[in-house]
Amino acid sequence: MSESVILELSGVTKTYRVGGQPVRALDGVDLRIMDGEFTSIVGPSGSGKSTMLHMLGALDGPDSGSIRFRGIEIGALSEEQQADFRRHRVGFVFQFFNLLPTLTAWENVAVPKLLDGTGLRKAKPRAMELLDLVGLVDRADHRPAELSGGQMQRVAVARALIMDPPLVLADEPTGNLDSKTGAGILDLFAGIARSGSSVVMVTHDLVGTASHCDRVVTLLDGRITASDPVEGAVNV
Ligand SMILES: Nc1ncnc2c1ncn2[C@@H]1O[C@H](COP(=O)(O)OP(=O)(O)OP(=O)(O)O)[C@@H](O)[C@H]1O
Ligand SMILES: [Mg+2]
């Protein structure tokens, strides 16, 4: 693992207002993520995990505090620069895969390239390479409904990688998978981190996850209560 900081949060707060009532989702979060680090975020439901992940990927901004990507304050970027940041620097993986049902596996993987103006034909070779990486090249022409849950998630991981992002964010990516299939996805993330990208993953399954990652960050009521390196981590 290299020693450069890719993301740094300091004093990040976020309060939602629902019917005039404030809900403090993040309450002064300080966090540093290194290049090539595989971090798990754990904590009870409502503790702010998804909110924090959205901040890391500039899907949402904080009310106060600072979020710096390689030293650059994300909040100081224009809307256009933030969209560019999301498109080129971040790969997202979600609990419910979010694949487009009418597209085949390889076309789904290629979608971020299409959104970036590359033609389908030109995007195909890299999409196929990534399907190979996740062990699905023989399912390239299947549509999501013709894939298992674990296979759909592997397609989603391949899609998250197609822009070669230095940062991969995943929200409960194994939440809908059995433990063996989930372990396969965790192996993929560990491999991604070893190849130099940082991976930040929200999970409920600390026991199944810990052996794969470098560090476990615990959130409680919008605050980080622990940030522990994992002993004997596979990825260090
Ligand atoms: N868009 C929103 N509007 C209002 N309140 C919100 C919104 N999103 C989240 N919250 C509130 O912010 C707090 C943190 O929510 P968040 O989704 O980050 O939790 P979480 O740790 O991801 O929970 P879970 O494990 O259930 O996914 C919760 O109290 C939630 O009700
Ligand atoms: Mg959540």
Side-chain angles (χ1 to χ4, degrees), residues 44-153:
S45 179
S47 57
K49 305 182 295 297
S50 295
T51 304
M52 190 167 91
L53 206 70
H54 294 164
M55 302 283 151
L56 298 180
L59 287 181
D60 201 356
D63 295 331
S64 62
S66 150
I67 301 177
R68 263 176 263 137
F69 177 84
R70 296 203 169 130
I72 295 167
E73 187 70 43
I74 293 178
L77 299 175
S78 67
E79 291 277 317
E80 201 178 326
Q81 288 170 320
Q82 288 192 25
D84 189 73
F85 168 78
R86 284 190 293 270
R87 191 169 290 174
H88 292 275
R89 302 278 179 262
V90 191
F92 287 98
V93 179
F94 303 96
Q95 181 173 0
F96 296 104
F97 323 136
N98 291 6
L99 301 179
L100 296 168
T102 60
L103 300 186
T104 64
W106 81 261
E107 289 167 344
N108 266 288
V109 174
V111 160
K113 282 274 187 203
L114 307 188
L115 294 174
D116 200 42
T118 304
L120 201 55
R121 194 181 296 265
K122 205 164 166 222
K124 186 167 185 179
R126 181 66 180 142
M128 294 301 284
E129 261 175 38
L130 288 168
L131 279 182
D132 194 26
L133 177 80
V134 301
L136 274 184
V137 84
D138 57 338
R139 297 289 189 277
D141 292 319
H142 286 231
R143 291 178 209 286
E146 299 156 352
L147 296 169
S148 71
Q151 289 170 340
M152 284 193 262
Q153 196 57 303

